[in-house]
Amino acid sequence: MYTGPMTAPPSPETLERLKTALGPGGWSDDPDRLAPKLVEWRDRWQGTTPLLLLPRTTAEVAAVVRLCAETRTAITPQGGNTGLVGGQIPQGEVLLSLERMRAVRSLDPLDDAMVVEAGATLAAVHEAALEADRAFPLSLASEGSATVGGLISTNAGGTAVLRYGTMRALVLGVEAVLPDGSVFEGLKRLRKDNTGYDLKQFLIGAEGTLGVVTAASLKLFPRLRSRAVAVVGLDSPGDALAQAASGGAVEAFELMGRRGVDLAVKNIPGAREPLAEAHPWYVLVEFAMGQAGAAEAALERVLATGFDAGLVGDAVVAQNQVQAHALWALRENQSAAQKPEGVTWKHDIAVPVGAVPTFIDRATAAALALTPDARVVAFGHLGDGNIHYDVIQPEGGDGAAHAALRDQGSRAIHDIAVALGGSISAEHGLGTMKTAEALRYKAPAEVAALRAIRAALDPNRIMNPRVLF
Ligand SMILES: Cc1cc2nc3c(=O)[nH]c(=O)nc-3n(C[C@H](O)[C@H](O)[C@H](O)COP(=O)(O)OP(=O)(O)OC[C@H]3O[C@@H](n4cnc5c(N)ncnc54)[C@H](O)[C@@H]3O)c2cc1C
């Protein structure tokens, strides 16, 4: 965690200058307007800010960042406020929201690229791409609110990473306001550009510490019309890995455990058991291909091979869009279904794909050694080796006692992931929640280099000062 000097709270005069720079409608200090931006999805952080900045153009973002640099005023950028590690929640900094910068600036089907402002939601990006008969493949459960700026700043992953990669692979160019208020006009649409350091890649995953992303050019793909979705019942996640070797048509390969399905059926209205009989594990698999009927045929073939090999216990293939949505809802609600169950230790780990079963076995032994009746819910992007490994307090048990063991439990679980060659944060980033923990595992030489880069761009540490190294 950063323990060096922090900027002082902004003076009343600085706040007035910021308001003047943006004019009426460009700022707010109305508590009702601020309230939803000061709490996050898990209700884990409650923030404060003296002022919400609402710029409408890149020039306005540059003007306020310049002013903040001059007055050493700290800034927290915020997009859709769906981040899960606290990085978008201000603790006294001015809050800079991109919510008024949502335009699709251009979309060129020939280039397979679109230029969109940072405040546009992922759902809006999907819609714009589809209108041009193209697809933007990144997909996650928060896509109605998560914004392009947030997705870039957290290098978001989601359910199609095994085929298309994370945001790092999907961004062709970035426009950003750097911490001194200068504008990096990097909205290239090139597939190849090998001209030394790539500033765009520094900004991707920077969690708002190296500047404010104001727009991006995104890579588009052909729209694959043939899609097939199934949920498969299995005895172990190892069996699911055997299925993962099923070729390039796989777009999603998502794990759910028995307890996660139980909780979804219990706590999510409309959620139903996917299969007639209960299974210890489930995989939701989606195939996507270009030719009509091809994905359905490929999926049937793979399932038949799985049955013959005795790996697949049972499976349901969605017969229409409604059924496909219902199967996806079961997966996407794995996290929401835990909310009413009390205190949970949450983890977002990655290990090499083949090590997932070992990770789950070892982590479960470690968690139960601390809280014997804890309820483990392991789910997530099995095809990427990214497991959301959650440990819920015992049913009807003592939430405070479980919370008191969180740090010790998470430490043990992170140690197991790292010992298997893994990461303690696969896709959510570090924010304020995991920075100190990440420092335990990063090599000193790497940390020193990263700090030097940050200090060079932002010597007074005004950008998201409590986040990252
Ligand atoms: C139900 C649910 C499911 C999720 N599923 C996934 C998943 O499958 N995969 C995944 O990767 N994530 C997932 N997330 C996490 C979250 O949706 C992503 O991290 C997302 O990218 C955050 O986007 P946002 O616009 O909400 O950013 P915010 O939450 O507003 O901000 C996140 C970080 O980015 C910074 N930031 C935001 N905008 C800018 C900008 N314009 N310039 C500079 N910095 C900026 C903030 O300061 C903060 O550090 C999920 C979240 C929820 C609630």
Side-chain angles (χ1 to χ4, degrees), residues 41 76-89 96 98 118-120 138-143 145-159 203 206-209 211-214 331-332 335-336 381 386 388 426-429 431 463-464 467:
W41 195 75
T76 295
Q78 190 180 92
N81 192 14
T82 68
L84 296 173
V85 288
Q88 74 281 13
I89 303 295
L96 195 159
L98 280 294
L138 195 97
S139 176
L140 31 83
S142 55
E143 62 198 30
S145 305
T147 64
V148 168
L151 296 163
I152 288 176
S153 301
T154 58
N155 182 29
T159 56
L203 288 155
E207 302 190 37
T209 62
V212 181
V213 175
T214 50
R331 158 63 187 90
E332 292 188 336
S335 193
H381 315 299
N386 173 196
H388 301 308
E427 59 176 8
H428 296 160
M463 293 301 311
N464 235 359
V467 168

Side-chain angles (χ1 to χ4, degrees), residues 408-439:
Q408 199 184 340
S410 293
R411 175 70 45 92
I413 287 162
H414 288 158
D415 282 350
I416 290 165
V418 171
L420 289 168
S423 165
I424 67 157
S425 182
E427 59 176 8
H428 296 160
L430 299 178
T432 51
M433 180 183 174
K434 294 185 190 161
T435 293
E437 187 74 347
L439 278 172

